[in-house]
Amino acid sequence: MRIRPSAIPLLLACCFFAAAQPARKSWAPSRTANGQPDLQGYWTNATLTPLERPAQFAGKAVLTEAEAAAYAKQLLEGSNRDRRGESAEADVGGAYNQFWYDRGNGIVGSHRTSLIIDPADGLIPPLTPEAQKRVSESRAYTAAHPADGPESRSLAERCILWGTAGPPMMPGPYNNAYQIVQTPGYVMILVEMIHDARIIPLDGSSHLPASVRQWMGDPRGHFEGNTLVVDSTGFSGKAPFHGSDQNLHLIEKFTPVSADTLLYEFTVDDPTAFTKKWTGQIPFTRNEGPIFEYACNEGNYAMTDMLAGARKAESQK
């Protein structure tokens, strides 16, 4: 984990990004040795902008400078982990103190109220009736069996997968860094949180057979002009994205729009889970490297302790 003190003053000045400002016509991305647009380097997608538009901003896609500053202050005060909890349990539940968090520094420009750009209301479309039933049953089971075994705990607690890895790659409270490396036939995206490296073939090969399912899906990439387009299918459905299932078809686009900004856009197409497609957009900004190891290992002692604590609690009932 890396601490970025330089981001702290900017947090109060600007909390929401807009779609990256149009690049000057004279600017063009550099090229790799084999002629691809060069996306390589270290990037971060840290931002205070929520995925969905808050109810208080319904019908308002962009905030004024004053509104953005006031909302940033509200968010930062509400999420300040240096405030003591009302009980010992609340303190422990707060985990790290504020020093460890990196919630984003915003980007100068107009201030969008959601990462979602389509639909226009900035909200995730409703789930299908079948998906609603599936999600409801899953939540009910989890509530009734919170710690039967490791499988009852979240993928993040088990050190298997974190939301920042995606795909789509979403910002979290800290460790929002990525490293992109290109070769003639592949693009690799190393994720700071936990231990994931996405390997994206560029060779025009077909997706894996439908019988092969993976946590992060099966990606295939190609360039359209300066934009890297990544088409992913073959998801296992065991790491659902806001209700998605194994039929998720995800399109991601990575477009360099300035020397220090990479515009990331994703479209979720899952007709058995959502009533319509939806799209989000996040600018990645150039970041200092390197990415250090996040030593999260499946089966570590924290899992043993959590399950032992659950057994102890059960014995006291």
Side-chain angles (χ1 to χ4, degrees), residues 92-109:
V92 172
Y96 311 122
N97 60 25
Q98 192 65 19
F99 175 81
W100 300 103
Y101 284 82
D102 179 18
R103 300 181 187 277
N105 57 14
I107 293 178
V108 175

Side-chain angles (χ1 to χ4, degrees), residues 117-198:
I117 60 172
D118 182 38
D121 63 6
L123 301 176
I124 297 173
L127 294 174
T128 64
E130 295 80 5
Q132 291 179 31
K133 179 181 178 182
R134 169 173 49 81
V135 170
S136 178
E137 290 176 347
S138 176
R139 289 175 177 171
Y141 182 85
T142 299
H145 305 272
D148 287 3
E151 297 80 6
S152 300
R153 307 306 300 174
S154 70
L155 297 179
E157 287 180 341
R158 296 167 62 191
C159 297
I160 293 176
L161 189 67
W162 191 274
T164 51
M169 302 184 298
M170 301 300 298
Y174 52 82
N175 287 12
N176 295 297
Y178 305 82
Q179 181 184 8
I180 297 179
V181 177
Q182 292 170 249
T183 68
Y186 296 89
V187 173
M188 185 278 292
I189 304 177
L190 177 65
V191 182
E192 181 178 18
M193 191 63 125
I194 301 188
H195 50 227
D196 292 293
R198 297 179 63 194

Side-chain angles (χ1 to χ4, degrees), residues 20 47 53 65 72 95 99 138 157 172 202 216 226 229 232 250 255 283:
T47 179
R53 184 172 302 151
E65 192 76 27
F99 175 81
S138 176
E157 287 180 341
L202 303 175
M216 302 170 71
N226 292 331
V229 180
S232 295
L250 185 72
T255 306

Side-chain angles (χ1 to χ4, degrees), residues 1-2 4 42 177 179 190 192 287-293:
M1 184 183 302
R2 286 164 293 113
R4 307 178 182 90
Y42 300 97
Q179 181 184 8
L190 177 65
E192 181 178 18
N287 195 42
E288 289 186 30
I291 291 179
F292 298 103
E293 178 191 13

